[in-house]
Amino acid sequence: MSAPDLTPQEAARWAERCGQPLRADRHVPVAATAQYIHSVVALLRELDFGDVPPAAAYRVHEREEEQFDAAV
């Protein structure tokens, strides 16, 4: 699913709505940044993680501590 490009005017309107008014010179860069973030999130949504457990399922100290030896 693709979304239409966010215009600078829409970016200014959304920022104002969130209580963060933008100066006029910030409308274009904020719109571009928001569009980039949207494209990255859209790409992440397409990934199939299959049987990968959530990060909370991993345990750091589940097995014996490894002993590292710098001897060659």
Side-chain angles (χ1 to χ4, degrees), residues 1 36-50:
M1 178 171 97
Y36 177 75
I37 292 169
H38 177 76
S39 69
V40 170
V41 170
L43 178 65
L44 291 173
R45 286 183 176 153
E46 293 176 10
L47 296 177
D48 179 20
F49 290 101

Side-chain angles (χ1 to χ4, degrees):
M1 178 171 97
S2 66
D5 289 344
L6 181 69
T7 66
Q9 293 79 18
E10 290 172 327
R13 183 174 59 88
W14 281 101
E16 182 73 36
R17 186 175 178 184
C18 292
Q20 300 293 321
L22 297 174
R23 295 187 324 254
D25 65 331
R26 301 298 303 153
H27 294 181
V28 173
V30 168
T33 302
Q35 192 63 36
Y36 177 75
I37 292 169
H38 177 76
S39 69
V40 170
V41 170
L43 178 65
L44 291 173
R45 286 183 176 153
E46 293 176 10
L47 296 177
D48 179 20
F49 290 101
D51 295 332
V52 177
Y58 292 100
R59 304 255 187 253
V60 176
H61 299 290
E62 224 170 70
R63 55 191 167 143
E64 270 185 48
E65 297 276 329
E66 288 186 46
Q67 297 296 326
F68 294 102
D69 187 1
V72 179

